Amino acid sequence: MSLSQILTPSIQKAIQALFDVTVDKIEFQTTRKEFEGDITMVIFPLLKVIKSNPADLGNKIGDYLVENVSEVARFNVVSGFLNIVISDSYYLNFFNEIKDNTKFGYVNPNEVEKAIMVEYSSPNTNKPLHLGHVRNNLLGYSVAEIIKASGKKVYKTQIINDRGIHICKSMLAWEKFGNGETPESSDLKGDKLVGKYYVEFDKAYKAEIAQLMDSGKTEEEAKKQAPIIIEAQDMLKKWEAGDEKVITLWKMMNQWVYNGFETTYNNLGVNFDKYYYESNTYLLGKDVVQVGLDKGVFEKDPDGSVWIDLTDEGLDRKIVLRSDGTAVYMTQDIGTAIQRVKDMPDVGGMVYTVGNEQDYHFKVLFLILKKLGFEWASSLYHLSYGMVDLPSGKMKSREGTVVDADDLMQDMTDTAKQISEDLGKLDSYSDEEKAKLYKTIGLGALKYYILKVDPKKRILFNPEESVDFAGNTGPFIQYTYARIQSIIRKADFDFSAKTDITELHEKEKELVKQIELFPEVIQNAAQNHSPALIANYTYDLVKEYNSFYQSVHILGEVDLTKKIFRVQLSQKVAEVIKSAFSLLGIEVPERM
């Protein structure tokens, strides 16, 4: 229970006793640094129902609390704010209650509540994962972990876009130019090999367009008449007709890509509970169109196409079925959402991790599902995020067009190695220990730099800045964790027992206060779908710990009772750092 939850009934009781007035809500805020206090009650809202001046009102409530509430030690009133000082005994009792709880802040899943499905990644099988997928995966995975920690059952899923003309382009190019090349024969990851042939198709297509334009065709005519695009379209038709040869090729090349993706996911540290494939879902939703027509949600145009009119909701008319009876992406998304609830009946809401260029699409999708009468449609959320940019010329892939996810992770590991070696921090490590640590630091830097930013904001990602060992970075927090582990290893005494300490140093109290916030931060991060709240809370905790570390003796303290408490406090801070970072998918090193 938070401090505000503890104080609210006592303050309501005080107001009732002093002024014979019932108040439903008490407003609190963090006490400003320049004033003494642990929590501040805002007095101004009470002036609407109690005729008094703010100072007199605050003093009367403060006196009542000191006399009647054991947790309140003293108070001060500044303008319309009652700054309340909480007793050391309250914080010591709290600390002793949570000291041995390694899952502090986490709530066990509520089996009664409906589960949440979080969708992320959702790549195309014609190219490797890139920087945009990195932000997508990190956000989706972290939000899933945070929602799980907040007390809900979570399913992680993705829909793999494994069909369509773009997939056929890679297949056709491999057939034409591949000479039977495989991931094994080329020593290339499967997704990179298939991506290579997607690029080869584009080169051949552009050459044919140029040739046709030289012979007098317009650019538009050339794009349509280029033999290679006609062949790709023919291959797609054969795929849709179930042609055995095309399907065999499609399965083989897709498997190469899936194997490649799996390696990238493992290196990135993300996972999934269930996979959906567009080749299985692209026909879903067509049967729902008739249901929507019967309910009057959809309307049919004279040409036979089916639409939904959302102009009353400030949107426009949206097509859900073409006049030739074929589905559009919206139809498929409607059908896939419904299918997911059929597959997992305990799902009561979904989070879609998709870039902000799809904001409009999801507004329409959610509105359609609500109008179709699905109860769970009110619990759908689009986790919209901005692009990730890099300083010009940095970390480009060999094609010079996109930043490959595997290359990015390797570059981050190399950057961590270079900076660590320059700082001379790892001289006593074996080569194997160094390699593992460089990866932990590099990936931690990448993940933290991306996740500390509000998802909706665009990011300019600077690799060197992200691996800085000072400031609001992953390595700075990892280094603090490792420092605490060093303290614990050096503690040559039993520090497990409850201490009989009765007073707290100011820095100890501030640190306990920061730890106390963790459960609330997890709940807020889950409600707001924002890993940034976890990341920045962890940075604040680490800053508070470093201030404590600089201000008091820990292992050098002569009073054994104080020394034991300070090691316990350090250990708890480390546990919270590790828990918070696990929600971000970041590992912490025991030594650094």
Side-chain angles (χ1 to χ4, degrees), residues 154-270:
V154 172
Y155 296 109
K156 301 170 188 168
T157 191
Q158 64 168 317
I159 181 161
I160 298 172
N161 303 303
D162 63 344
R163 64 168 287 278
I165 190 68
H166 50 298
I167 310 298
C168 290
K169 287 176 180 179
S170 295
M171 289 162 58
L172 182 65
W174 181 84
E175 218 173 33
K176 280 179 169 296
F177 316 122
N179 298 315
E181 187 177 31
T182 67
E184 291 74 28
S185 70
S186 63
D187 202 25
L188 268 178
K189 271 177 83 234
D191 52 336
K192 284 186 166 55
L193 180 64
V194 172
K196 169 185 163 183
Y197 285 100
Y198 186 65
V199 172
E200 288 299 319
F201 177 93
D202 195 52
K203 284 181 190 169
Y205 183 35
K206 282 176 178 169
E208 288 183 358
I209 290 169
Q211 210 171 10
L212 286 166
M213 287 173 70
D214 287 345
S215 67
K217 302 287 184 188
T218 66
E219 186 179 359
E220 199 60 39
E221 287 171 337
K223 282 180 177 178
K224 287 177 182 174
Q225 293 173 25
I228 198 165
I229 194 69
I230 293 168
E231 282 185 84
Q233 288 162 348
D234 184 51
M235 183 179 269
L236 178 60
K237 285 174 190 166
K238 285 179 179 175
W239 181 90
E240 289 179 346
D243 180 278
E244 192 176 330
K245 185 186 169 195
V246 172
I247 295 291
T248 301
L249 174 64
W250 170 76
K251 283 181 178 176
M252 178 182 75
M253 291 183 72
N254 269 351
Q255 194 57 55
W256 292 348
V257 176
Y258 300 151
N259 295 343
F261 283 171
E262 204 55 40
T263 300
T264 305
Y265 292 141
N266 286 336
N267 287 335
L268 195 57
V270 302

Side-chain angles (χ1 to χ4, degrees), residues 256-405:
W256 292 348
V257 176
Y258 300 151
N259 295 343
F261 283 171
E262 204 55 40
T263 300
T264 305
Y265 292 141
N266 286 336
N267 287 335
L268 195 57
V270 302
N271 54 35
F272 302 89
D273 300 308
K274 188 164 179 64
Y275 294 79
Y276 284 86
Y277 299 88
E278 194 178 319
S279 53
N280 296 329
T281 65
Y282 79 105
L283 296 176
L284 290 176
K286 288 177 74 172
D287 54 338
V288 183
V289 172
Q290 189 55 52
V291 174
L293 283 167
D294 294 342
K295 286 188 171 184
V297 174
F298 300 145
E299 56 191 26
K300 189 176 277 192
D301 275 12
D303 66 355
S305 58
V306 180
W307 298 72
I308 184 167
D309 187 351
L310 299 172
T311 49
D312 287 349
E313 279 83 4
L315 305 174
D316 56 12
R317 284 183 94 228
K318 186 77 181 175
I319 191 167
V320 292
L321 202 67
R322 296 189 186 97
S323 56
D324 62 2
T326 56
V328 293
Y329 264 111
M330 184 62 71
T331 330
Q332 180 182 321
D333 282 353
I334 293 166
T336 303
I338 296 165
Q339 186 61 46
R340 284 171 172 171
V341 179
K342 285 179 184 173
D343 291 344
M344 282 166 277
D346 60 337
V347 167
M350 297 178 216
V351 176
Y352 294 81
T353 313
V354 183
N356 56 16
E357 70 278 2
Q358 294 292 325
D359 284 354
Y360 186 81
H361 175 86
F362 283 101
K363 277 183 190 171
V364 173
L365 173 64
F366 297 168
L367 198 48
I368 290 174
L369 288 165
K370 276 182 190 171
K371 286 179 178 289
L372 288 170
F374 295 104
E375 192 181 324
W376 43 263
S378 58
S379 299
L380 300 177
Y381 183 82
H382 174 205
L383 178 51
S384 172
Y385 62 90
M387 286 184 66
V388 185
D389 301 310
L390 290 129
S392 178
K394 298 261 184 178
M395 295 194 296
K396 294 285 184 180
S397 72
R398 276 178 288 277
E399 288 81 9
T401 52
V402 294
V403 180
D404 179 271

Side-chain angles (χ1 to χ4, degrees), residues 457-524:
K457 291 183 179 174
R458 197 164 179 149
I459 296 175
L460 177 65
F461 179 67
N462 185 317
E464 285 77 18
E465 191 179 285
S466 74
V467 188
D468 197 337
F469 281 82
N472 191 5
T473 66
F476 173 65
I477 295 168
Q478 288 172 322
Y479 183 69
T480 301
Y481 176 86
R483 169 187 274 171
I484 297 172
Q485 296 312 304
S486 175
I487 291 169
I488 292 167
R489 284 192 297 271
K490 290 174 184 172
D492 56 353
F493 53 90
D494 181 13
F495 57 85
S496 61
K498 179 181 173 182
T499 66
D500 55 1
I501 187 170
T502 56
E503 288 185 6
L504 289 171
H505 185 284
E506 176 195 352
K507 293 296 180 183
E508 293 170 335
K509 186 176 181 180
E510 289 303 316
L511 205 44
V512 177
K513 281 165 64 177
Q514 190 66 24
I515 291 169
E516 189 188 25
L517 295 174
F518 188 44
E520 189 181 341
V521 171
I522 290 177
Q523 294 300 323
N524 287 341

